[in-house]
Amino acid sequence: MREHVAAMNKTSLDLADSHALLARVRYSKRPIVFMFGSAMSHDPRALYKVAACADIVTLVRRALGSDASRLEELLAPESIASERYQICMRHLLHERGVDAVNAIIREAVAMAYKSPLLQASTDLSVAACERLERDLSTWSLGRGLDSYAAIKASGLSNFDQHVLTTNFDPLIEISLRRMGVKAVPVVQVSDGSLSAYPDADITQVVHLHGHWYLSDTQHTVAQLSRDRPRLRAFLRRLLERRTLVVMGYGGWHDVLVEALSEVAAD
């Protein structure tokens, strides 16, 4: 990640201001595709919210219990939160396996469900997660997702059928469903392309790094940097014909950044 940021810093960028961004979105002749990162799901002001990187580190420590000492040796105190998160998830994957990783992610996502009873519950089976997701009114959403869904529901926008996200949680889908917009998750963990839904009124939320209960999830450098040529080709075709708006996403060295780099190079 640091290498990626360093490379970006070496590039001369002519960045516009927020007024130019709004004008670009408002007057775009192309459909607008949104790319939502983790900051769209984590509202630091909210009581109930999806766990941030630092919170997940705490969850992993708790899951490891007395075996956490080896993890502490790996965590450099000067490392940034995203690096510590990746180190923790890699260590958990190696020490406890993929089921332990999935359990942490389900717990992290369920923290945005506004129920103290759930916070004390250990039932986060697939069936339980499905029930929670159907309970639209009890999830805590940030203002950004609420506003996006309201504009989408108005029918006055030029928003595309696809939404891209590296998030595992279902908050994008929930925000849309609350506004009466049909939304389905499309999970992309392995390599694969996507085809448009026959019903243009259905929004496809493409989870590029996995989903909190429909699939395994990707966290480590090895997982995120794995070559996925078919998905990369799909993303490139999508982005070549649309205006991309990125929100709450810091950038990983992953298939999305690779597709963006290829489009920019052309």
Side-chain angles (χ1 to χ4, degrees), residues 1 37-39 41-43 49-61 71 75 79-89 104-105 108-109 111 166-168 218-219 224 248 250-252:
M1 181 64 185
S38 60
S41 294
H42 179 83
D43 184 352
K49 50 186 174 287
V50 174
C53 287
D55 303 318
I56 291 178
V57 171
T58 300
L59 294 177
V60 171
R61 282 186 174 126
L71 174 62
L75 291 174
S79 59
I80 61 177
S82 59
E83 290 175 343
R84 294 168 68 83
Y85 154 76
Q86 285 192 319
I87 290 169
C88 281
M89 298 306 273
I104 289 289
I105 293 305
V109 170
M111 291 171 70
T166 51
N167 299 344
F168 314 122
Q218 297 179 338
H219 311 272
L224 296 175
W252 298 95

Side-chain angles (χ1 to χ4, degrees), residues 42-161:
H42 179 83
D43 184 352
R45 299 161 298 184
L47 177 61
Y48 297 99
K49 50 186 174 287
V50 174
C53 287
D55 303 318
I56 291 178
V57 171
T58 300
L59 294 177
V60 171
R61 282 186 174 126
R62 190 179 69 191
L64 292 172
S66 60
D67 294 332
S69 56
R70 271 182 46 82
L71 174 62
E72 301 304 328
E73 296 172 4
L74 300 172
L75 291 174
E78 71 277 4
S79 59
I80 61 177
S82 59
E83 290 175 343
R84 294 168 68 83
Y85 154 76
Q86 285 192 319
I87 290 169
C88 281
M89 298 306 273
R90 179 178 181 272
H91 182 75
L92 184 66
L93 178 63
H94 288 179
E95 294 275 331
R96 301 293 176 87
V98 67
D99 289 342
V101 171
N102 292 339
I104 289 289
I105 293 305
R106 290 179 187 180
E107 185 176 1
V109 170
M111 291 171 70
Y113 188 81
K114 297 182 290 186
S115 170
L117 294 177
L118 175 66
Q119 308 306 319
S121 172
T122 57
D123 182 14
L124 287 174
S125 62
V126 170
C129 292
E130 289 176 340
R131 288 194 299 271
L132 295 179
E133 194 168 317
R134 288 195 295 269
D135 185 12
L136 303 181
S137 64
T138 314
W139 289 86
S140 177
L141 304 181
R143 288 183 297 176
L145 288 181
D146 275 337
S147 299
Y148 159 75
I151 297 171
K152 175 75 174 178
S154 72
L156 302 176
S157 66
N158 191 25
F159 293 176
D160 193 71
Q161 184 184 14

Side-chain angles (χ1 to χ4, degrees), residues 194-233:
L194 288 85
S195 58
Y197 254 58
D199 186 348
D201 292 331
I202 295 179
T203 298
Q204 292 179 270
V205 183
V206 184
H207 292 265
L208 297 169
H209 293 172
H211 187 272
W212 75 303
Y213 70 83
L214 290 176
S215 72
D216 296 334
T217 49
Q218 297 179 338
H219 311 272
T220 68
V221 173
Q223 291 171 329
L224 296 175
S225 60
R226 189 176 72 248
D227 189 28
R228 296 197 275 173
R230 286 187 294 176
L231 179 57
R232 187 174 69 249

